[in-house]
Structure formats: C-alpha cells, structure tokens
Amino acid sequence: MFNKAGMALFAALFAGVAGPVFAADFVEPPVIEHAPPPAVYEQPVEYGGWYIRGDIDYHWSKFRGADYITYGDPPGTGRFDSGKLESAFSAGAGVGYQINQHFRTDLTADWMSKSEFRGSTSGICLDGDPCTSVDTSSYTALLLLANAYVDIGTWHGITPYVGAGIGGAWVKWDTLHNSTEDGEFSHSGGKGWRFAYAAMAGASYCLTDRVKLDVGYRYSHINGGKMFDFASNVGPGYDKGIDTHEVRGGLRYQFGKSDCAQPEPIAYEPGPIYTK
C-alpha cells in the first residue's frame, strides 16, 4: 500500500514540475509587424506665368483679285484676269502669358518678306484693238495679332493645341509695272493698315524644363486695300485681300512655372515597428 501511495505522490510531483517546462516549450514567439514601405507623393504643379517666343515660317500667299478705275473712252472699271503671289519667308516674335495648364494668350508680330506678284489684265490699246497687259509687283507686310490658345493636354512631353488671333496688318505694295503693246507704264504701290485674323493648330515639345519647341500651321487673312495709284488714265487699284498658309516653327521660353518641369516628390519616413 505504501508503495502505491509513494508512486502516486511521485507521479503528482513529476507532473507538477514537468508541466510548466513542456508548456514553456510551446509558447509562440512574439509577432513583429513591419511598417509599410514609405509612401511617395508628388507635389501638384501650378502652371502659369509669362513667356516669350520667336518663330520663322514659310508661307504661300493667295491673291484674291483686284479692281481698278479706268479713264478711257468710255470710263469704267477693270479687274485683273489673273494674279499669283510667290511663296516667301517670315520671322516673328511675341510675348505671352500661360494662364493655366490649358489656356494661354500672346501678342505676336511677324514680318512677312517680299512676295513677288505676276498678273494680267485685258483692255483696249491706243489703236482701239483689244490687248492684254502683263503686270508685276510684290508686297511685304507686318502682321500684328492678339492670340488665344487651348492646350489640349500633354502626353510624353508633347502638347497639341488650337488657337485663333485677331489684329491688323500694315501692307506695302511695290511699284506695279504694266507692260502692253503701247509700252510700259508704272503705278506707285499702295500701302496702309488693314484688318487681319488668323487660325492655327500645332504642337509643342519640351526641350528643357523651360524651353519648348513649337511647330504648327497658321492660316491668316488680310483684308483688301489700295494696291496701286493712278497713272496713264488707270487707277487707283484695290486688291480684294490676301490669304496666307504658313508652316511655322519656333521656340518658347517660360518664365513662370512650366508643365515641362517635373513635380518634386515628397517621401515620408517609415513609422515605428509595432509588436504583439
């Protein structure tokens, strides 16, 4: 009996000592939760500010016709049977303001170099027979425009846009040389200010954080005005206006905040490590 009681006591003591030991072996280690990776945010860019621009172009001019007064017998009016203007170059500059990412305005001045003119007219020569003349001249113009543009959006540094402008042009015609069977005659060229407007489309490309390459097309219309003065019982003459189609290229320099500049990232430091 004593042996049974002793064995029971020994078993109880062993269980009391070994239980905590084995229980300690199965305690789970603490779980360490790492902080998430640092979040990086980009500062929003506020677009806007002044810019300057310089442009060159190659343009084709279309002569829309001309009328003139005749003082023969009987007096009346005449018109050019044909007229053609040669292509030419122009150069310009301007100053503008980028209002926001999608809207800007500028003032531009373009000097249109000499475009040669060749035309013909029909009339009655001194002998009373019909005759045809050959007329040559040229014109230059200073085109001043106030423009507004919509920048549609920017993809890979390229920003397509559309725009329109309104203003005036100072047009100067050179001496008109008139050659007929009766001889050669000259008419002083007309000059003066005229109303003008334009429409354009193109795209710009970021070369640096402030410089953009601007390439596009512009259509401009110059209203009619005096083409030449009176001489040899003919004149004055008035052209019906000039249309030009321009292929343009230039550079824009942005003084304010440009959409070409990359936003500055803001990095947040990781938070503390939490444990359970």
Side-chain angles (χ1 to χ4, degrees):
M1 183 176 179
F2 175 79
N3 291 336
K4 291 182 179 181
M7 291 179 65
L9 178 62
F10 178 78
L13 291 175
F14 179 80
V17 174
V21 174
F22 285 104
D25 291 340
F26 289 96
V27 174
E28 296 183 357
V31 178
I32 300 177
E33 293 185 356
H34 297 280
V40 178
Y41 300 92
E42 293 183 346
Q43 289 181 333
V45 177
E46 297 179 358
Y47 304 105
W50 294 98
Y51 66 85
I52 56 175
R53 64 181 302 159
D55 302 276
I56 58 173
D57 80 39
Y58 185 75
H59 62 266
W60 298 264
S61 297
K62 181 181 179 181
F63 181 70
R64 297 173 61 92
D67 296 328
Y68 54 88
I69 301 173
T70 61
Y71 296 91
D73 187 16
T77 60
R79 65 182 56 188
F80 278 80
D81 298 328
S82 66
K84 182 179 180 180
L85 288 163
E86 298 294 334
S87 55
F89 290 92
S90 68
V95 57
Y97 191 82
Q98 184 85 40
I99 298 174
N100 54 44
Q101 184 179 1
H102 296 290
F103 188 71
R104 58 188 168 89
T105 62
D106 60 31
L107 299 174
T108 57
D110 292 270
W111 176 253
M112 305 174 75
S113 64
K114 182 178 294 186
S115 180
E116 300 291 340
F117 170 79
R118 184 179 180 87
S120 65
T121 59
S122 299
I124 303 298
C125 288
L126 296 178
D127 58 7
D129 295 330
C131 61
T132 300
S133 69
V134 175
D135 303 271
T136 58
S137 183
S138 62
Y139 91 94
T140 55
L142 174 64
L143 181 62
L144 303 178
L145 293 173
N147 309 289
Y149 309 88
V150 175
D151 292 329
I152 299 172
T154 302
W155 296 271
H156 305 289
I158 300 175
T159 305
Y161 65 84
V162 294
I166 189 172
W170 187 82
V171 178
K172 181 181 182 302
W173 282 96
D174 290 338
T175 300
L176 177 70
H177 299 283
N178 179 268
S179 177
T180 70
E181 296 176 4
D182 295 332
E184 294 188 1
F185 307 92
S186 296
H187 300 261
S188 299
K191 58 185 177 182
W193 285 99
R194 309 180 183 189
F195 175 75
Y197 59 86
M200 62 283 288
S204 63
Y205 177 73
C206 296
L207 296 178
T208 71
D209 60 345
R210 292 193 179 273
V211 179
K212 290 184 177 182
L213 172 67
D214 191 321
V215 178
Y217 162 81
R218 182 172 75 178
Y219 162 80
S220 59
H221 171 77
I222 301 173
N223 271 11
K226 181 181 283 190
M227 182 179 180
F228 58 88
D229 292 323
F230 170 82
S232 305
N233 293 326
V234 176
Y238 297 86
D239 68 74
K240 298 179 181 180
I242 301 170
D243 294 329
T244 61
H245 302 271
E246 310 170 42
V247 177
R248 300 170 59 82
L251 296 175
R252 301 204 315 259
Y253 181 86
Q254 183 79 40
F255 289 102
K257 295 180 179 180
S258 171
D259 55 353
C260 291
Q262 296 297 321
E264 296 182 1
I266 302 176
Y268 290 90
E269 296 296 331
I273 297 175
Y274 301 95
T275 61
K276 288 185 179 180

